[in-house]
Amino acid sequence: MSVHHDRSRPDNRRVRVLGRPVGSYPDLPPEAGRGSVRRITVVGEEILSRPCREVTEFGSPELSQLIDDMFLTMHVADGAGLAANQVGVDLRIFVYDCPDEAGIRHVGHIINPVLDQPDASSRRLVDDSEGCLSVPGATMTVPRTDRAVARGLDKDGNPLVIEGTGYFARCLQHETDHLAGHTYLDRLSRRQRKNALQQMEDHHEDVFARRAIKAAGLGRGSA
C-alpha cells in the first residue's frame, strides 16, 4: 500500500511496534537498516493473483532477512504496507509502517494474519484514496471499514493482535487482501479498473525513477 503524501506526518513520539506502545522511534525502522532492496512485483504477475502459503517455520535467519528486506523495499517505494508476494515470495506475511486516524504510527510485521472486522450492525464504510506499490502511479477511491483487527504471529511464532483505525485499518485490509491473492483493483468496477491501469501506464516510469533515486541515496539496489 502506498503512502498519501498529503496526510499529516505521524508523531514519532507516539508509536506502536507490533501493537505495543514504545518511546520515540527512528524514521527508518531498524529492520530497514539491515535489509536489501528487492524488486516489487507488478499487477498482472501470477504470484499476485493466488493465495499465499502459510508460514510453518519460525525463528529462522531466512525469515528475519525477508522481513528486513521487505521493510527496506517498502521504505524505498514510499509504502505504508508491503506483502511478501509483492517481492515475489509466496508466504503469508506483510510488513507495515503506517499512521492511524489519531496520528499514532504503527510499525511491524504479521505472519499468517486473519482479519476481524466489525459486524454488520456496527460496520462503517469509508471511501478514501488508495494506492498500491504493485499498481505504480495509480490512486483510486476504495470503500473500506474504518476499523480492523489482524490476528497472527510474529517471526518467532508469538501471537499478535494488531488493531487499526482509519488509514491503518485500510492498510491491514489492503495487505490481507494481497495474501489472499487480490489487489485493490479487484474491488473496483470494470470502468474504474481501466482507469487505474491507465494511470499506471501514464505514471509508472516516474514512480520507478523515484524509487531508483531513493535507493541510490541509501547506497542500495533499485526497487
Side-chain angles (χ1 to χ4, degrees):
M1 184 167 173
S2 59
V3 170
H4 296 302
H5 294 284
D6 59 344
R7 295 179 184 274
S8 59
R9 186 178 182 85
D11 186 347
N12 282 343
R13 296 167 300 177
R14 295 194 299 157
V15 184
R16 288 181 175 267
V17 176
L18 296 177
R20 302 178 183 90
V22 299
S24 61
Y25 202 75
D27 284 341
L28 186 70
E31 294 92 339
R34 301 189 294 263
S36 298
V37 178
R38 300 198 186 195
R39 174 185 171 272
I40 296 177
T41 53
V42 177
V43 65
E45 297 185 42
E46 189 268 341
I47 196 169
L48 291 175
S49 61
R50 57 180 164 85
C52 294
R53 296 181 294 115
E54 295 278 308
V55 175
T56 57
E57 296 184 11
F58 296 86
S60 69
E62 294 78 11
L63 186 59
S64 293
Q65 188 62 59
L66 172 62
I67 291 169
D68 292 347
D69 292 354
M70 289 172 66
F71 262 102
L72 182 61
T73 303
M74 177 177 65
H75 174 77
V76 164
D78 288 328
L82 185 73
N85 55 357
Q86 292 184 274
V87 293
V89 177
D90 178 24
L91 290 175
R92 287 183 52 78
I93 177 171
F94 68 79
V95 300
Y96 57 87
D97 188 345
C98 183
D100 64 18
E101 66 181 2
I104 296 172
R105 181 183 177 193
H106 295 261
V107 184
H109 67 273
I110 188 166
I111 297 173
N112 300 338
V114 175
L115 198 65
D116 293 345
Q117 293 180 315
D119 59 40
S121 63
S122 60
R123 184 175 303 168
R124 186 170 75 92
L125 288 177
V126 176
D127 289 330
D128 201 353
S129 296
E130 191 166 317
C132 178
L133 301 183
S134 292
V135 192
T139 302
M140 297 295 293
T141 298
V142 182
R144 299 276 192 185
T145 61
D146 66 337
R147 295 180 179 274
V149 177
R151 302 178 187 275
L153 304 167
D154 70 11
K155 64 183 180 180
D156 296 313
N158 300 309
L160 290 174
V161 179
I162 308 298
E163 301 182 30
T165 61
Y167 193 56
F168 184 45
R170 179 172 295 272
C171 177
L172 294 176
Q173 294 166 76
H174 181 109
E175 301 307 331
T176 303
D177 273 358
H178 271 303
L179 302 183
H182 301 298
T183 69
Y184 81 95
L185 298 183
D186 298 324
R187 295 181 175 271
L188 303 178
S189 69
R190 183 176 298 180
R191 181 178 179 180
Q192 291 169 325
R193 180 185 175 94
K194 183 178 179 180
N195 183 345
L197 293 175
Q198 185 60 56
Q199 289 183 49
M200 184 177 79
E201 177 65 24
D202 293 342
H203 302 299
H204 72 277
E205 290 185 1
D206 290 339
V207 173
F208 292 155
R210 288 197 301 271
R211 293 177 185 176
I213 290 169
K214 191 165 184 179
L218 292 170
R220 312 297 177 93
S222 174

